[in-house]
PDB file of all heavy atoms in Angstrom:
ATOM      1  N   ALA B 108      64.738  75.423  66.854  1.00  0.00           N
ATOM      2  CA  ALA B 108      64.196  75.842  65.558  1.00  0.00           C
ATOM      3  C   ALA B 108      63.918  74.628  64.676  1.00  0.00           C
ATOM      4  O   ALA B 108      62.853  74.519  64.058  1.00  0.00           O
ATOM      5  CB  ALA B 108      65.173  76.792  64.862  1.00  0.00           C
ATOM      6  N   ALA B 109      64.861  73.695  64.657  1.00  0.00           N
ATOM      7  CA  ALA B 109      64.684  72.495  63.825  1.00  0.00           C
ATOM      8  C   ALA B 109      63.486  71.683  64.304  1.00  0.00           C
ATOM      9  O   ALA B 109      62.713  71.157  63.497  1.00  0.00           O
ATOM     10  CB  ALA B 109      65.945  71.641  63.868  1.00  0.00           C
ATOM     11  N   HIS B 110      63.325  71.617  65.632  1.00  0.00           N
ATOM     12  CA  HIS B 110      62.189  70.901  66.211  1.00  0.00           C
ATOM     13  C   HIS B 110      60.872  71.518  65.730  1.00  0.00           C
ATOM     14  O   HIS B 110      59.961  70.825  65.267  1.00  0.00           O
ATOM     15  CB  HIS B 110      62.301  70.945  67.741  1.00  0.00           C
ATOM     16  CG  HIS B 110      61.319  70.052  68.439  1.00  0.00           C
ATOM     17  ND1 HIS B 110      61.401  69.746  69.770  1.00  0.00           N
ATOM     18  CD2 HIS B 110      60.224  69.422  67.976  1.00  0.00           C
ATOM     19  CE1 HIS B 110      60.413  68.945  70.093  1.00  0.00           C
ATOM     20  NE2 HIS B 110      59.679  68.743  69.023  1.00  0.00           N
ATOM     21  N   VAL B 111      60.788  72.848  65.834  1.00  0.00           N
ATOM     22  CA  VAL B 111      59.560  73.550  65.426  1.00  0.00           C
ATOM     23  C   VAL B 111      59.288  73.344  63.941  1.00  0.00           C
ATOM     24  O   VAL B 111      58.162  73.019  63.538  1.00  0.00           O
ATOM     25  CB  VAL B 111      59.658  75.059  65.755  1.00  0.00           C
ATOM     26  CG1 VAL B 111      58.496  75.819  65.135  1.00  0.00           C
ATOM     27  CG2 VAL B 111      59.698  75.261  67.263  1.00  0.00           C
ATOM     28  N   ILE B 112      60.339  73.490  63.121  1.00  0.00           N
ATOM     29  CA  ILE B 112      60.158  73.343  61.671  1.00  0.00           C
ATOM     30  C   ILE B 112      59.712  71.917  61.336  1.00  0.00           C
ATOM     31  O   ILE B 112      58.785  71.697  60.548  1.00  0.00           O
ATOM     32  CB  ILE B 112      61.467  73.686  60.923  1.00  0.00           C
ATOM     33  CG1 ILE B 112      61.782  75.175  61.112  1.00  0.00           C
ATOM     34  CG2 ILE B 112      61.341  73.365  59.436  1.00  0.00           C
ATOM     35  CD1 ILE B 112      63.150  75.588  60.607  1.00  0.00           C
ATOM     36  N   THR B 113      60.348  70.937  61.959  1.00  0.00           N
ATOM     37  CA  THR B 113      59.984  69.535  61.714  1.00  0.00           C
ATOM     38  C   THR B 113      58.517  69.286  62.057  1.00  0.00           C
ATOM     39  O   THR B 113      57.751  68.744  61.249  1.00  0.00           O
ATOM     40  CB  THR B 113      60.863  68.597  62.567  1.00  0.00           C
ATOM     41  OG1 THR B 113      62.233  68.902  62.316  1.00  0.00           O
ATOM     42  CG2 THR B 113      60.612  67.147  62.213  1.00  0.00           C
ATOM     43  N   ASP B 114      58.124  69.714  63.265  1.00  0.00           N
ATOM     44  CA  ASP B 114      56.737  69.511  63.687  1.00  0.00           C
ATOM     45  C   ASP B 114      55.765  70.255  62.787  1.00  0.00           C
ATOM     46  O   ASP B 114      54.663  69.777  62.516  1.00  0.00           O
ATOM     47  CB  ASP B 114      56.546  69.972  65.138  1.00  0.00           C
ATOM     48  CG  ASP B 114      56.875  68.848  66.106  1.00  0.00           C
ATOM     49  OD1 ASP B 114      57.320  67.793  65.620  1.00  0.00           O
ATOM     50  OD2 ASP B 114      56.693  69.024  67.321  1.00  0.00           O
ATOM     51  N   PHE B 115      56.180  71.448  62.323  1.00  0.00           N
ATOM     52  CA  PHE B 115      55.309  72.231  61.454  1.00  0.00           C
ATOM     53  C   PHE B 115      55.024  71.464  60.158  1.00  0.00           C
ATOM     54  O   PHE B 115      53.868  71.271  59.793  1.00  0.00           O
ATOM     55  CB  PHE B 115      55.959  73.578  61.141  1.00  0.00           C
ATOM     56  CG  PHE B 115      55.131  74.449  60.240  1.00  0.00           C
ATOM     57  CD1 PHE B 115      54.083  75.210  60.747  1.00  0.00           C
ATOM     58  CD2 PHE B 115      55.385  74.485  58.874  1.00  0.00           C
ATOM     59  CE1 PHE B 115      53.309  75.996  59.914  1.00  0.00           C
ATOM     60  CE2 PHE B 115      54.613  75.273  58.033  1.00  0.00           C
ATOM     61  CZ  PHE B 115      53.580  76.022  58.556  1.00  0.00           C
ATOM     62  N   PHE B 116      56.086  70.999  59.488  1.00  0.00           N
ATOM     63  CA  PHE B 116      55.871  70.319  58.208  1.00  0.00           C
ATOM     64  C   PHE B 116      55.164  68.979  58.377  1.00  0.00           C
ATOM     65  O   PHE B 116      54.486  68.503  57.473  1.00  0.00           O
ATOM     66  CB  PHE B 116      57.197  70.141  57.461  1.00  0.00           C
ATOM     67  CG  PHE B 116      57.703  71.435  56.883  1.00  0.00           C
ATOM     68  CD1 PHE B 116      59.011  71.833  57.066  1.00  0.00           C
ATOM     69  CD2 PHE B 116      56.848  72.264  56.161  1.00  0.00           C
ATOM     70  CE1 PHE B 116      59.470  73.029  56.541  1.00  0.00           C
ATOM     71  CE2 PHE B 116      57.298  73.461  55.633  1.00  0.00           C
ATOM     72  CZ  PHE B 116      58.611  73.849  55.828  1.00  0.00           C
TER      73      PHE B 116
END
Side-chain angles (χ1 to χ4, degrees):
Chain B
H110 190 168
V111 171
I112 294 171
T113 306
D114 273 5
F115 180 81
F116 287 132

